[in-house]
Amino acid sequence: MLAQARRNKGLSLRAAAERAGLDFSWLAKLERGLYSHPAPERITRLVEVLGVDPERIDRVSKGHVSSSL
């Protein structure tokens, strides 16, 4: 879902990571599903850049993100 949102914004992995203040390799691993519980503060920064509804992220993460904030 995040990769699709990034592509919809016309952003490369590097551009999205830079805008969100994240490490490129972290974002690449996140998009490949290598993190089962990514840091909520990183996800928050990413969804702000991508313009993704936080409630959508919460549904996908089954409440993990909001419960960690």
Side-chain angles (χ1 to χ4, degrees):
M1 178 207 26
L2 290 174
Q4 184 62 45
R6 177 182 56 75
R7 288 190 294 270
N8 289 345
K9 286 280 189 182
L11 296 172
S12 67
L13 272 169
R14 288 194 189 280
E18 185 177 302
R19 288 184 186 188
L22 300 169
D23 183 69
F24 163 79
S25 64
W26 181 87
L27 181 54
K29 289 176 184 176
L30 177 72
E31 287 193 3
R32 289 194 316 262
L34 299 179
Y35 297 118
S36 60
H37 292 82
E41 61 276 357
R42 289 182 177 187
I43 295 296
T44 300
R45 292 193 325 239
L46 183 59
V47 298
E48 287 174 356
V49 166
L50 299 179
V52 174
D53 180 2
E55 288 183 18
R56 186 171 177 208
I57 296 297
D58 207 41
R59 283 194 304 273
V60 170
S61 73
K62 297 182 173 122
H64 176 74
V65 172
S66 66
S67 68
S68 298
L69 295 175

